[in-house]
Amino acid sequence: MFTGIVEDTGTLAEVKTVADGMRVRIDTALAPALAPGASLAVNGVCLTVVLVDGPQVLVDIGPETARVTTMGNARRGQTVNLERPLKVDGRLDGHFVQGHVDAVGTVTDVRAAAESESRWLTVRFPADLAVHFIHKGSVAVDGVSLTIAGLGDREFDIQVIPYTWTHTTLSQLRFNDKVNLECDMIGKYVMRALEARRS
């Protein structure tokens, strides 16, 4: 379980294709605080640390994870958002994030906010996710907890404050870039309960 509050941006030092998927080596200041078997959210994808090697950690990416997230297109030198799991006695600053990506979205607009130093992002999402988004609700974009400020049938707008813009990879996003999306977990349980009542 994560919160969508990014702790560090790491760099992919190595990306290798292996027999059972991919193996990725990440440079991160979080390495000393991690151990083999620990979970680590990488651009919103919950992965398992298999090795800690000085300032680097190794994670494996299975074929299914590579297929349904942006991690399948990971490349050497890429910067990624990183977050360790939430401690049971920790403060919940963002929202409940599982690290289980629901779909890949597409950035359709990046623009400066007229009224502040913030930025606006517009993200297009698959139609079947529409029921999980609400105006002023939560969404995780590449592992970053954000609030939906505008909502259409197939797109949502998010306003990114300067601190988040400079301390995550969101500032690197451009038109047509792909991003990992995770809908609010509580909303998903509500929708499932309603479906069960109707059946």
PDB file of all heavy atoms in Angstrom, residues 15 18 23 79 109 122 127 132 137 139 184 190:
ATOM      1  N   VAL A  15      18.430  -1.579 -18.178  1.00  0.00           N
ATOM      2  CA  VAL A  15      17.178  -2.260 -18.498  1.00  0.00           C
ATOM      3  C   VAL A  15      17.528  -3.454 -19.366  1.00  0.00           C
ATOM      4  O   VAL A  15      18.059  -3.291 -20.468  1.00  0.00           O
ATOM      5  CB  VAL A  15      16.196  -1.325 -19.242  1.00  0.00           C
ATOM      6  CG1 VAL A  15      14.915  -2.073 -19.581  1.00  0.00           C
ATOM      7  CG2 VAL A  15      15.887  -0.088 -18.410  1.00  0.00           C
ATOM      8  N   VAL A  18      15.074 -10.414 -19.941  1.00  0.00           N
ATOM      9  CA  VAL A  18      15.481 -11.730 -19.451  1.00  0.00           C
ATOM     10  C   VAL A  18      14.409 -12.742 -19.848  1.00  0.00           C
ATOM     11  O   VAL A  18      13.368 -12.385 -20.393  1.00  0.00           O
ATOM     12  CB  VAL A  18      15.700 -11.714 -17.925  1.00  0.00           C
ATOM     13  CG1 VAL A  18      16.892 -10.836 -17.567  1.00  0.00           C
ATOM     14  CG2 VAL A  18      14.464 -11.231 -17.193  1.00  0.00           C
ATOM     15  N   ARG A  23      14.576  -7.086 -16.278  1.00  0.00           N
ATOM     16  CA  ARG A  23      15.284  -6.771 -15.035  1.00  0.00           C
ATOM     17  C   ARG A  23      15.801  -5.342 -15.152  1.00  0.00           C
ATOM     18  O   ARG A  23      16.454  -4.985 -16.138  1.00  0.00           O
ATOM     19  CB  ARG A  23      16.425  -7.740 -14.784  1.00  0.00           C
ATOM     20  CG  ARG A  23      17.237  -7.394 -13.546  1.00  0.00           C
ATOM     21  CD  ARG A  23      17.979  -8.590 -13.007  1.00  0.00           C
ATOM     22  NE  ARG A  23      17.034  -9.518 -12.381  1.00  0.00           N
ATOM     23  CZ  ARG A  23      17.396 -10.625 -11.730  1.00  0.00           C
ATOM     24  NH1 ARG A  23      18.680 -10.940 -11.637  1.00  0.00           N
ATOM     25  NH2 ARG A  23      16.502 -11.414 -11.181  1.00  0.00           N
ATOM     26  N   THR A  79      14.041   8.720 -16.011  1.00  0.00           N
ATOM     27  CA  THR A  79      13.786   9.087 -14.621  1.00  0.00           C
ATOM     28  C   THR A  79      12.414   8.553 -14.212  1.00  0.00           C
ATOM     29  O   THR A  79      11.457   8.646 -14.985  1.00  0.00           O
ATOM     30  CB  THR A  79      13.827  10.617 -14.445  1.00  0.00           C
ATOM     31  OG1 THR A  79      15.075  11.107 -14.942  1.00  0.00           O
ATOM     32  CG2 THR A  79      13.692  11.012 -12.976  1.00  0.00           C
ATOM     33  N   ASP A 109      -2.482  17.229 -23.361  1.00  0.00           N
ATOM     34  CA  ASP A 109      -2.174  18.652 -23.267  1.00  0.00           C
ATOM     35  C   ASP A 109      -1.343  18.920 -22.013  1.00  0.00           C
ATOM     36  O   ASP A 109      -1.585  18.317 -20.964  1.00  0.00           O
ATOM     37  CB  ASP A 109      -3.447  19.493 -23.224  1.00  0.00           C
ATOM     38  CG  ASP A 109      -3.187  20.976 -23.462  1.00  0.00           C
ATOM     39  OD1 ASP A 109      -2.157  21.317 -24.066  1.00  0.00           O
ATOM     40  OD2 ASP A 109      -4.014  21.795 -23.030  1.00  0.00           O
ATOM     41  N   THR A 122      -3.742  17.414 -19.191  1.00  0.00           N
ATOM     42  CA  THR A 122      -4.954  16.718 -19.610  1.00  0.00           C
ATOM     43  C   THR A 122      -4.559  15.311 -20.025  1.00  0.00           C
ATOM     44  O   THR A 122      -3.609  15.129 -20.784  1.00  0.00           O
ATOM     45  CB  THR A 122      -5.644  17.448 -20.785  1.00  0.00           C
ATOM     46  OG1 THR A 122      -5.952  18.784 -20.388  1.00  0.00           O
ATOM     47  CG2 THR A 122      -6.929  16.742 -21.196  1.00  0.00           C
ATOM     48  N   ALA A 127     -12.271   4.201 -22.125  1.00  0.00           N
ATOM     49  CA  ALA A 127     -13.678   4.449 -21.819  1.00  0.00           C
ATOM     50  C   ALA A 127     -14.171   3.660 -20.617  1.00  0.00           C
ATOM     51  O   ALA A 127     -15.002   4.149 -19.841  1.00  0.00           O
ATOM     52  CB  ALA A 127     -14.530   4.139 -23.046  1.00  0.00           C
ATOM     53  N   HIS A 132     -15.057   5.257 -12.772  1.00  0.00           N
ATOM     54  CA  HIS A 132     -14.222   5.320 -11.573  1.00  0.00           C
ATOM     55  C   HIS A 132     -13.695   6.715 -11.266  1.00  0.00           C
ATOM     56  O   HIS A 132     -13.045   6.928 -10.246  1.00  0.00           O
ATOM     57  CB  HIS A 132     -13.041   4.359 -11.711  1.00  0.00           C
ATOM     58  CG  HIS A 132     -13.447   2.924 -11.840  1.00  0.00           C
ATOM     59  ND1 HIS A 132     -14.058   2.220 -10.827  1.00  0.00           N
ATOM     60  CD2 HIS A 132     -13.344   2.062 -12.886  1.00  0.00           C
ATOM     61  CE1 HIS A 132     -14.309   0.986 -11.229  1.00  0.00           C
ATOM     62  NE2 HIS A 132     -13.878   0.868 -12.471  1.00  0.00           N
ATOM     63  N   GLY A 137     -12.108  14.073  -7.296  1.00  0.00           N
ATOM     64  CA  GLY A 137     -11.685  12.788  -6.748  1.00  0.00           C
ATOM     65  C   GLY A 137     -10.190  12.586  -6.946  1.00  0.00           C
ATOM     66  O   GLY A 137      -9.506  13.396  -7.577  1.00  0.00           O
ATOM     67  N   VAL A 139      -6.717  10.447  -8.195  1.00  0.00           N
ATOM     68  CA  VAL A 139      -6.179   9.569  -9.229  1.00  0.00           C
ATOM     69  C   VAL A 139      -4.666   9.541  -9.061  1.00  0.00           C
ATOM     70  O   VAL A 139      -4.064  10.538  -8.659  1.00  0.00           O
ATOM     71  CB  VAL A 139      -6.574  10.053 -10.651  1.00  0.00           C
ATOM     72  CG1 VAL A 139      -6.008  11.441 -10.947  1.00  0.00           C
ATOM     73  CG2 VAL A 139      -6.137   9.049 -11.716  1.00  0.00           C
ATOM     74  N   ASP A 184      -9.048   5.547  -7.863  1.00  0.00           N
ATOM     75  CA  ASP A 184      -9.184   5.520  -6.411  1.00  0.00           C
ATOM     76  C   ASP A 184      -9.717   4.163  -5.960  1.00  0.00           C
ATOM     77  O   ASP A 184     -10.740   3.685  -6.468  1.00  0.00           O
ATOM     78  CB  ASP A 184     -10.121   6.632  -5.967  1.00  0.00           C
ATOM     79  CG  ASP A 184     -10.280   6.680  -4.464  1.00  0.00           C
ATOM     80  OD1 ASP A 184      -9.264   6.784  -3.765  1.00  0.00           O
ATOM     81  OD2 ASP A 184     -11.432   6.613  -3.996  1.00  0.00           O
ATOM     82  N   VAL A 190     -16.702   0.501  -4.195  1.00  0.00           N
ATOM     83  CA  VAL A 190     -18.097   0.943  -4.259  1.00  0.00           C
ATOM     84  C   VAL A 190     -18.745   0.442  -5.543  1.00  0.00           C
ATOM     85  O   VAL A 190     -19.863  -0.091  -5.540  1.00  0.00           O
ATOM     86  CB  VAL A 190     -18.189   2.481  -4.161  1.00  0.00           C
ATOM     87  CG1 VAL A 190     -19.610   2.947  -4.475  1.00  0.00           C
ATOM     88  CG2 VAL A 190     -17.778   2.948  -2.776  1.00  0.00           C
TER      89      VAL A 190
END
